[in-house]
Amino acid sequence: MLLNFDRLGWWKLVLIGITLATTAFLLLPILFIAALSFGSSQWLIFPPPGWTLKWYQELLADPRWLQSAWTSFRIAIIVTVLSVLLGLVTSFGLTRGRFPFREALKALFLTPMILPVVVLAVALYAFFLQIGLNGTLTGFVLSHLVLALPFSILSISSALEGFDKSIEDAAVLCGASPLEARIRVTLPAISHGIFSAAIFSFLTSWDEVVVAIFMSSPTLQTLPVKIWATLRQDLTPVVAAASTLLILLTVLLMLIVAVIRKGLKS
Amino acid sequence: MVAQTETESAKHYAPVRARRPTDFDLTLPALGLLALFFVLPVAMLLTRSVTEPVPGLGNYAELMGSSTYLRVFANTFMVSGLVTFVSLLIGFPVAWALAIMPSRLASVVFAILLLSMWTNLLARTYAWMVLLQRTGVINKMLIGVGLVDKPLPLVNNLTGVTIGMTYIMLPFIILPLYGVIRKIDPAILQAAALCGANRWQSLVLVLLPLAMPGMAAGALMVFVMSLGYFVTPALLGGTANMMLAELIAQFVQSLVNWGMGGAAALVLLVVTLALYAVQLRFFGTDRLGGS
């Protein structure tokens, strides 16, 4: 009866207890940081002796924080657009094509996802130093694109596999050109896959830190690199303020995803 | 003669692969990107490990011959193993509970799992740096309840890395494990009970073996991910327990020793790919993509 919740007896209490404890373990640090970002203690004493907004003021007054956030955002947006477009084209080729080595090709496209990021970071760093792309926006975009593309291909391919191609063929029979049929019939039908591809690509780039540490230059750094560099020096509450804003963004993204999923379902 | 062979092979191929010439072409842009900015740079880095500073396997000999580096390897495996073990220990009951609890309650837990997964890695690591510091909340609580009288060193050591990495890896083990347990037919457990098995017997002889493929796949994934982790060990670990990814970064960034960096990267790469090959061989391809 171990898989029947109501007939577990006292084991139920144990399972619930462990689950609640784990949930608290996952949630509390996030709430803790959010609370500390409003605390007045420089040394992050908890509970804080008083409440203040000064860490946010400090954060917003420092142009380097804003600049790095803006850099991150620009890179993430460009990566998202390129990754979705490239993922779309590639997924059509991979799911519709019947050519030799298709599975091997699929596996190759997914490898950047499973490879240790630090290896890619070091390799790209060496390569970009040679061809002069280090510390440039192009360098950031290219390296994040390599990391984001697998997620895009996975999301779009799986949506495309679930789509009945005969509907697209019907549109062609009714007089649409093959391209027109793909754009006006297939694309709307796989929009949920495209949407997840966009979200994953954005998050991959926006949160990426290891490659970015190597890619960045004194004049061009992303937000995670700025946090990283600050943390290596001290545990200033300004990072708590920055983290809280990032957490807020995550919650916002999750809400958008939930709303759009609901919209797509109905 | 030649022409005839060609037509023959064309005939032979035509019905088998109804290939539209454009389909493969569609994958070319992505293929070009990966060839140029993924395969080529990695290959170049690995080549440098056998060409710099002098051609040969000297870098590998140094890597394998020095106790300092061997300690880094050992520590990497130890931390990854520990993180995997703890994640599995906590993750199994949680995945189990999630699979059978009322769906409304489960969706709350899922939302928190997702929130934690999607929150910026540095923000999460920062939280643990603050929580675990000498004057941090955890030490205060431990002293407050009288468990210890001096603050414990919880950060910049193995404890810190293990806690921080387990925090990050937990969702990666809970989610796939949940999927596996969810698919187990409750009637099998019912049958076990009818045949006279008590709860412990049902758990050990029926539920655990049935969940084993998911546990093994999840554990392997977490282990492999941990092997190559850089940020969290660098911020929460101490110099005494450096991990392989930090070593690679150090070779390249502070020592500018590309030969050694490439050699260490190859070791990490080979171990990672070997473990993934094991995973593919025994658990199929479906877990490759994560969830």
Side-chain angles (χ1 to χ4, degrees), chain A residues 193-208:
Chain A
I194 297 175
F195 175 69
S196 337
I199 293 272
F200 281 126
S201 300
F202 183 87
L203 278 179
T204 301
S205 170
W206 174 258
D207 279 342
E208 204 290 322

PDB file of all heavy atoms in Angstrom, chain A residues 193-208:
ATOM      1  N   GLY A 193       6.168  25.078 -27.931  1.00  0.00           N
ATOM      2  CA  GLY A 193       7.574  24.662 -27.991  1.00  0.00           C
ATOM      3  C   GLY A 193       8.477  25.859 -28.247  1.00  0.00           C
ATOM      4  O   GLY A 193       9.538  25.987 -27.640  1.00  0.00           O
ATOM      5  N   ILE A 194       8.064  26.737 -29.131  1.00  0.00           N
ATOM      6  CA  ILE A 194       8.849  27.932 -29.433  1.00  0.00           C
ATOM      7  C   ILE A 194       8.967  28.805 -28.191  1.00  0.00           C
ATOM      8  O   ILE A 194      10.026  29.345 -27.880  1.00  0.00           O
ATOM      9  CB  ILE A 194       8.193  28.720 -30.589  1.00  0.00           C
ATOM     10  CG1 ILE A 194       8.203  27.854 -31.852  1.00  0.00           C
ATOM     11  CG2 ILE A 194       8.910  30.037 -30.829  1.00  0.00           C
ATOM     12  CD1 ILE A 194       7.482  28.469 -33.014  1.00  0.00           C
ATOM     13  N   PHE A 195       7.855  28.875 -27.463  1.00  0.00           N
ATOM     14  CA  PHE A 195       7.838  29.689 -26.259  1.00  0.00           C
ATOM     15  C   PHE A 195       8.802  29.130 -25.207  1.00  0.00           C
ATOM     16  O   PHE A 195       9.596  29.875 -24.621  1.00  0.00           O
ATOM     17  CB  PHE A 195       6.400  29.744 -25.730  1.00  0.00           C
ATOM     18  CG  PHE A 195       6.273  30.461 -24.439  1.00  0.00           C
ATOM     19  CD1 PHE A 195       6.478  31.825 -24.384  1.00  0.00           C
ATOM     20  CD2 PHE A 195       5.944  29.769 -23.292  1.00  0.00           C
ATOM     21  CE1 PHE A 195       6.371  32.485 -23.179  1.00  0.00           C
ATOM     22  CE2 PHE A 195       5.830  30.424 -22.090  1.00  0.00           C
ATOM     23  CZ  PHE A 195       6.048  31.786 -22.029  1.00  0.00           C
ATOM     24  N   SER A 196       8.770  27.808 -24.976  1.00  0.00           N
ATOM     25  CA  SER A 196       9.723  27.254 -24.005  1.00  0.00           C
ATOM     26  C   SER A 196      11.140  27.450 -24.487  1.00  0.00           C
ATOM     27  O   SER A 196      12.034  27.716 -23.685  1.00  0.00           O
ATOM     28  CB  SER A 196       9.541  25.754 -23.735  1.00  0.00           C
ATOM     29  OG  SER A 196       8.289  25.306 -24.016  1.00  0.00           O
ATOM     30  N   ALA A 197      11.349  27.305 -25.797  1.00  0.00           N
ATOM     31  CA  ALA A 197      12.697  27.512 -26.338  1.00  0.00           C
ATOM     32  C   ALA A 197      13.184  28.914 -26.002  1.00  0.00           C
ATOM     33  O   ALA A 197      14.326  29.109 -25.586  1.00  0.00           O
ATOM     34  CB  ALA A 197      12.702  27.286 -27.843  1.00  0.00           C
ATOM     35  N   ALA A 198      12.304  29.889 -26.147  1.00  0.00           N
ATOM     36  CA  ALA A 198      12.683  31.273 -25.879  1.00  0.00           C
ATOM     37  C   ALA A 198      13.013  31.468 -24.398  1.00  0.00           C
ATOM     38  O   ALA A 198      14.028  32.070 -24.046  1.00  0.00           O
ATOM     39  CB  ALA A 198      11.565  32.217 -26.303  1.00  0.00           C
ATOM     40  N   ILE A 199      12.161  30.933 -23.525  1.00  0.00           N
ATOM     41  CA  ILE A 199      12.388  31.094 -22.083  1.00  0.00           C
ATOM     42  C   ILE A 199      13.708  30.433 -21.666  1.00  0.00           C
ATOM     43  O   ILE A 199      14.530  31.038 -20.981  1.00  0.00           O
ATOM     44  CB  ILE A 199      11.228  30.450 -21.278  1.00  0.00           C
ATOM     45  CG1 ILE A 199       9.937  31.229 -21.510  1.00  0.00           C
ATOM     46  CG2 ILE A 199      11.564  30.352 -19.799  1.00  0.00           C
ATOM     47  CD1 ILE A 199       9.737  32.380 -20.577  1.00  0.00           C
ATOM     48  N   PHE A 200      13.914  29.187 -22.123  1.00  0.00           N
ATOM     49  CA  PHE A 200      15.135  28.482 -21.735  1.00  0.00           C
ATOM     50  C   PHE A 200      16.372  29.181 -22.293  1.00  0.00           C
ATOM     51  O   PHE A 200      17.393  29.281 -21.614  1.00  0.00           O
ATOM     52  CB  PHE A 200      15.099  27.032 -22.209  1.00  0.00           C
ATOM     53  CG  PHE A 200      14.273  26.148 -21.328  1.00  0.00           C
ATOM     54  CD1 PHE A 200      13.246  25.370 -21.851  1.00  0.00           C
ATOM     55  CD2 PHE A 200      14.515  26.093 -19.967  1.00  0.00           C
ATOM     56  CE1 PHE A 200      12.486  24.556 -21.027  1.00  0.00           C
ATOM     57  CE2 PHE A 200      13.751  25.292 -19.134  1.00  0.00           C
ATOM     58  CZ  PHE A 200      12.734  24.514 -19.670  1.00  0.00           C
ATOM     59  N   SER A 201      16.275  29.653 -23.533  1.00  0.00           N
ATOM     60  CA  SER A 201      17.433  30.325 -24.121  1.00  0.00           C
ATOM     61  C   SER A 201      17.756  31.592 -23.345  1.00  0.00           C
ATOM     62  O   SER A 201      18.917  31.878 -23.049  1.00  0.00           O
ATOM     63  CB  SER A 201      17.159  30.683 -25.580  1.00  0.00           C
ATOM     64  OG  SER A 201      16.891  29.525 -26.320  1.00  0.00           O
ATOM     65  N   PHE A 202      16.712  32.348 -23.008  1.00  0.00           N
ATOM     66  CA  PHE A 202      16.933  33.593 -22.272  1.00  0.00           C
ATOM     67  C   PHE A 202      17.592  33.304 -20.930  1.00  0.00           C
ATOM     68  O   PHE A 202      18.600  33.913 -20.572  1.00  0.00           O
ATOM     69  CB  PHE A 202      15.608  34.335 -22.067  1.00  0.00           C
ATOM     70  CG  PHE A 202      15.779  35.666 -21.388  1.00  0.00           C
ATOM     71  CD1 PHE A 202      16.057  36.802 -22.128  1.00  0.00           C
ATOM     72  CD2 PHE A 202      15.691  35.773 -20.006  1.00  0.00           C
ATOM     73  CE1 PHE A 202      16.241  38.027 -21.491  1.00  0.00           C
ATOM     74  CE2 PHE A 202      15.875  36.991 -19.371  1.00  0.00           C
ATOM     75  CZ  PHE A 202      16.139  38.114 -20.121  1.00  0.00           C
ATOM     76  N   LEU A 203      17.014  32.345 -20.198  1.00  0.00           N
ATOM     77  CA  LEU A 203      17.558  32.035 -18.866  1.00  0.00           C
ATOM     78  C   LEU A 203      18.974  31.493 -18.947  1.00  0.00           C
ATOM     79  O   LEU A 203      19.812  31.816 -18.106  1.00  0.00           O
ATOM     80  CB  LEU A 203      16.657  31.020 -18.154  1.00  0.00           C
ATOM     81  CG  LEU A 203      15.430  31.595 -17.456  1.00  0.00           C
ATOM     82  CD1 LEU A 203      14.617  30.479 -16.819  1.00  0.00           C
ATOM     83  CD2 LEU A 203      15.835  32.608 -16.391  1.00  0.00           C
ATOM     84  N   THR A 204      19.244  30.665 -19.960  1.00  0.00           N
ATOM     85  CA  THR A 204      20.584  30.108 -20.111  1.00  0.00           C
ATOM     86  C   THR A 204      21.609  31.232 -20.229  1.00  0.00           C
ATOM     87  O   THR A 204      22.636  31.234 -19.556  1.00  0.00           O
ATOM     88  CB  THR A 204      20.663  29.209 -21.363  1.00  0.00           C
ATOM     89  OG1 THR A 204      19.707  28.168 -21.230  1.00  0.00           O
ATOM     90  CG2 THR A 204      22.045  28.603 -21.529  1.00  0.00           C
ATOM     91  N   SER A 205      21.296  32.210 -21.064  1.00  0.00           N
ATOM     92  CA  SER A 205      22.238  33.303 -21.266  1.00  0.00           C
ATOM     93  C   SER A 205      22.262  34.244 -20.058  1.00  0.00           C
ATOM     94  O   SER A 205      23.318  34.628 -19.572  1.00  0.00           O
ATOM     95  CB  SER A 205      21.878  34.071 -22.530  1.00  0.00           C
ATOM     96  OG  SER A 205      22.632  35.250 -22.602  1.00  0.00           O
ATOM     97  N   TRP A 206      21.110  34.605 -19.582  1.00  0.00           N
ATOM     98  CA  TRP A 206      20.982  35.598 -18.499  1.00  0.00           C
ATOM     99  C   TRP A 206      21.675  35.139 -17.220  1.00  0.00           C
ATOM    100  O   TRP A 206      22.291  35.929 -16.516  1.00  0.00           O
ATOM    101  CB  TRP A 206      19.490  35.862 -18.261  1.00  0.00           C
ATOM    102  CG  TRP A 206      19.169  36.741 -17.107  1.00  0.00           C
ATOM    103  CD1 TRP A 206      18.714  36.344 -15.884  1.00  0.00           C
ATOM    104  CD2 TRP A 206      19.254  38.175 -17.051  1.00  0.00           C
ATOM    105  NE1 TRP A 206      18.521  37.436 -15.081  1.00  0.00           N
ATOM    106  CE2 TRP A 206      18.836  38.566 -15.774  1.00  0.00           C
ATOM    107  CE3 TRP A 206      19.646  39.159 -17.967  1.00  0.00           C
ATOM    108  CZ2 TRP A 206      18.794  39.902 -15.374  1.00  0.00           C
ATOM    109  CZ3 TRP A 206      19.609  40.485 -17.561  1.00  0.00           C
ATOM    110  CH2 TRP A 206      19.180  40.852 -16.299  1.00  0.00           C
ATOM    111  N   ASP A 207      21.574  33.835 -16.913  1.00  0.00           N
ATOM    112  CA  ASP A 207      22.147  33.309 -15.675  1.00  0.00           C
ATOM    113  C   ASP A 207      23.552  32.755 -15.844  1.00  0.00           C
ATOM    114  O   ASP A 207      24.178  32.378 -14.873  1.00  0.00           O
ATOM    115  CB  ASP A 207      21.259  32.182 -15.121  1.00  0.00           C
ATOM    116  CG  ASP A 207      20.069  32.732 -14.363  1.00  0.00           C
ATOM    117  OD1 ASP A 207      20.117  33.912 -13.981  1.00  0.00           O
ATOM    118  OD2 ASP A 207      19.095  31.995 -14.161  1.00  0.00           O
ATOM    119  N   GLU A 208      24.026  32.668 -17.074  1.00  0.00           N
ATOM    120  CA  GLU A 208      25.293  31.980 -17.318  1.00  0.00           C
ATOM    121  C   GLU A 208      26.453  32.742 -16.689  1.00  0.00           C
ATOM    122  O   GLU A 208      26.590  33.941 -16.880  1.00  0.00           O
ATOM    123  CB  GLU A 208      25.515  31.839 -18.828  1.00  0.00           C
ATOM    124  CG  GLU A 208      26.428  30.694 -19.207  1.00  0.00           C
ATOM    125  CD  GLU A 208      27.861  30.903 -18.831  1.00  0.00           C
ATOM    126  OE1 GLU A 208      28.348  32.039 -18.945  1.00  0.00           O
ATOM    127  OE2 GLU A 208      28.517  29.943 -18.413  1.00  0.00           O
TER     128      GLU A 208
END
